[in-house]
Amino acid sequence: MRCRLLLAALAALSVLAGCNTTKPRSSTQTAFAEAETAKKLDADDPVPMSPARWAGRTGLAGRTLAVASLGDLKLKHKEVVLTFDDGPVPGRTEAILDTLDSYGVKATFLMVGQMADAYPAIARKVVARGHTVGSHTYRHANLRYLAFEAAMAEIRKGEKAVERATARQPDFFRFPYLADTSALRSAVSRRGTIIMDMDVDSKDYFKVTPASVASRTMQGLRKRGRGIILMHDIHKRTAAVLPSLLAQLKAEGYSVVTLRHKGGTEPQLLALADR
């Protein structure tokens, strides 16, 4: 049984790695700008990748925001929410958790049920480190192509898998490919689940350098001034870029908001990772 789950997870991972087939725009940005650059950054300025900018990791954590509906998720200027879809995955999810710990910030992980079934120990690490968990269907299906009842069954199956792995109710949900319908959004919301949309797409699923991911993400944030950032913990480039991205957020005065569901219990900061 364990072998079948791992094989299914590997198959799912190959699909998730290409979950967006849109070709990236070409870019002449260089992400190796001088670390000591002090000028005011424009929206399209690249993110410095020098380790000299990674010092001083405290001060990035912001407030905790308890929400009961999407309408409660109101961010102030220079506030961001970090979200990671599609995991957990050995090595990559854990590297992301270590980086988040080093900066003292929390994120929301929207887990695919197949992946949570295959790697429950890593899913438990997410909870043990104090992060928020949500679901992302069981097999990352495009729900627009399913009948309503089949789509809801896929959502429920994903929730049960995440709850089984983490021993926590996944109170947040994101539609795979952001492919929703009004009927599905209404049905999910009526169940008390917070639908996670996104404001800034890092597009870390493109086969580009980590520097390009960081610069694209900051470009989107500088234009909006706040927002929910979409990333994926299944990609090596995401784990590679996260330290410099968090350093740049801090350098530009952003703070990372922790999401909690109103009425939910706080994550248990126990040694779940070793179970």
Side-chain angles (χ1 to χ4, degrees), residues 104-173:
V105 296
K106 305 302 178 186
T108 299
F109 288 78
L110 292 309
M111 300 181 183
V112 170
Q114 280 184 332
M115 308 306 286
D117 268 345
Y119 306 111
I122 304 175
R124 290 195 294 270
K125 284 183 181 180
V126 173
V127 174
R129 303 281 187 97
H131 300 284
T132 301
V133 296
S135 61
H136 197 44
T137 73
Y138 187 76
R139 54 188 176 88
H140 205 274
N142 188 325
L143 301 183
R144 283 182 184 165
Y145 295 140
L146 299 181
F148 176 81
E149 288 303 329
M152 290 302 298
E154 171 74 9
I155 292 171
R156 288 190 293 267
K157 186 176 180 180
E159 289 174 339
K160 289 178 181 178
V162 174
E163 185 173 9
R164 186 164 56 244
T166 64
R168 294 192 61 78
Q169 173 66 38
D171 295 315
F172 295 82
F173 173 76

Side-chain angles (χ1 to χ4, degrees), residues 2-275:
R2 175 69 174 173
C3 182
R4 288 200 298 271
L5 283 174
L6 291 175
L7 289 173
L10 289 172
L13 184 56
S14 66
V15 173
L16 297 175
C19 67
N20 190 305
T21 57
T22 304
K23 293 183 179 180
R25 297 176 182 175
S26 60
S27 174
T28 58
Q29 290 179 338
T30 172
F32 292 91
E34 292 296 324
E36 58 271 15
T37 300
K39 73 181 184 66
K40 179 177 173 59
L41 292 169
D42 294 323
D44 58 352
D45 280 345
V47 170
M49 297 292 284
S50 168
R53 297 296 296 269
W54 298 4
R57 299 182 179 187
T58 60
L60 184 58
R63 63 187 173 127
T64 296
L65 180 60
V67 297
S69 68
L70 185 60
D72 295 332
L73 214 168
K74 296 177 180 178
L75 300 177
K76 301 175 184 177
H77 183 61
K78 293 275 185 168
E79 286 188 333
V80 300
V81 173
L82 305 175
T83 66
F84 296 90
D85 287 7
D86 295 354
V89 174
R92 300 168 193 180
T93 300
E94 293 152 315
I96 286 169
L97 290 175
D98 289 344
T99 298
L100 294 173
D101 276 355
S102 71
Y103 280 86
V105 296
K106 305 302 178 186
T108 299
F109 288 78
L110 292 309
M111 300 181 183
V112 170
Q114 280 184 332
M115 308 306 286
D117 268 345
Y119 306 111
I122 304 175
R124 290 195 294 270
K125 284 183 181 180
V126 173
V127 174
R129 303 281 187 97
H131 300 284
T132 301
V133 296
S135 61
H136 197 44
T137 73
Y138 187 76
R139 54 188 176 88
H140 205 274
N142 188 325
L143 301 183
R144 283 182 184 165
Y145 295 140
L146 299 181
F148 176 81
E149 288 303 329
M152 290 302 298
E154 171 74 9
I155 292 171
R156 288 190 293 267
K157 186 176 180 180
E159 289 174 339
K160 289 178 181 178
V162 174
E163 185 173 9
R164 186 164 56 244
T166 64
R168 294 192 61 78
Q169 173 66 38
D171 295 315
F172 295 82
F173 173 76
R174 178 174 277 144
F175 285 92
Y177 312 99
L178 300 175
D180 59 0
T181 68
S182 58
L184 287 172
R185 285 184 72 94
S186 178
V188 171
S189 297
R190 284 198 303 269
R191 300 168 73 240
T193 302
I194 310 299
I195 296 172
M196 291 295 295
D197 293 317
M198 71 89 188
D199 299 308
V200 177
D201 188 352
S202 70
K203 296 185 179 178
D204 55 354
Y205 41 80
F206 287 154
K207 293 182 179 180
V208 295
T209 64
S212 297
V213 174
S215 293
R216 178 189 297 115
T217 303
M218 291 308 305
Q219 179 181 6
L221 272 179
R222 289 166 189 155
K223 290 179 178 178
R224 294 187 60 89
R226 64 176 67 82
I228 300 170
I229 302 175
L230 169 61
M231 293 176 280
H232 301 78
D233 56 324
I234 62 172
H235 299 301
K236 288 183 179 179
R237 71 182 64 85
T238 308
V241 76
L242 192 58
S244 56
L245 177 60
L246 294 182
Q248 191 66 21
L249 287 173
K250 182 179 182 298
E252 296 189 29
Y254 288 88
S255 63
V256 176
V257 171
T258 301
L259 288 186
R260 298 284 183 249
H261 190 280
K262 280 184 181 177
T265 56
E266 290 294 309
Q268 300 298 307
L269 305 181
L270 303 175
L272 295 176
D274 299 326
R275 290 196 331 201

